Amino acid sequence: MSPTLHYFSNAVGSVDYVPADGYLYLHWSGVPMTGPEFRALYIHAHNLLRRYPLRGILADHRAMPAAPAVVDRDWLLGTWLPAVLADTHFERYAVVPALEPAHRLHTPAVAEQLQRAITTAFFGDIPPAVDWLLAGPAGPVAT
């Protein structure tokens, strides 16, 4: 993975990005999270996607300490995702799921909803996820 630039972090995770490669890198600290902290990461990811013409997200959920509450997951799919798709260049979503199945944000039902809305792929580690993002149209957008 190319060097990242820091954009936002809170106790539960960070939003970084690789402007040269055109993607955002979202990752978790492993600290137990609240709904507002979970949403803050995604709100700042949306802000970053609006600010820069990034086309991909690499979501590294391996350190996610627990699955988010159903209300937060529903917010992510029903509010956040449609808003991001409406006003950014977001095209590809690479996910490295939490190691513990009970901690996964992306259950099969969530994965199905994501895949209907955006090109999504799941990986066991970071390097193949980055390769996938770079192989597709997730490179930087000319502005």
Side-chain angles (χ1 to χ4, degrees):
M1 184 162 75
S2 298
T4 61
L5 297 175
H6 180 71
Y7 183 75
F8 172 81
S9 61
N10 61 21
V12 301
S14 295
V15 177
D16 302 321
Y17 66 111
V18 183
D21 293 341
Y23 69 89
L24 178 154
Y25 177 51
L26 174 74
H27 52 104
W28 304 91
S29 69
V31 171
M33 65 184 171
T34 65
E37 291 168 323
F38 171 83
R39 290 182 188 208
L41 286 179
Y42 281 95
I43 288 167
H44 283 282
H46 186 182
N47 292 341
L48 180 62
L49 290 167
R50 278 196 305 246
R51 184 172 183 181
Y52 298 104
L54 306 173
R55 291 187 174 183
I57 292 178
L58 171 52
D60 182 358
H61 296 303
R62 291 176 296 180
M64 185 177 270
V70 171
V71 67
D72 293 318
R73 188 191 66 216
D74 291 347
W75 169 84
L76 185 72
L77 293 169
T79 302
W80 182 85
L81 184 59
V84 169
L85 292 174
D87 68 1
T88 73
H89 297 282
F90 181 41
E91 295 179 351
R92 291 166 69 87
Y93 188 45
V95 180
V96 180
L99 300 174
E100 175 63 43
H103 296 179
R104 290 188 178 157
L105 167 63
H106 300 98
T107 63
V110 171
E112 183 181 329
Q113 287 180 290
L114 282 169
Q115 290 169 329
R116 283 195 309 252
I118 186 92
T119 303
T120 304
F122 294 83
F123 300 91
D125 204 358
I126 297 292
V130 169
D131 290 345
W132 179 79
L133 284 171
L134 296 178
V141 175
T143 56

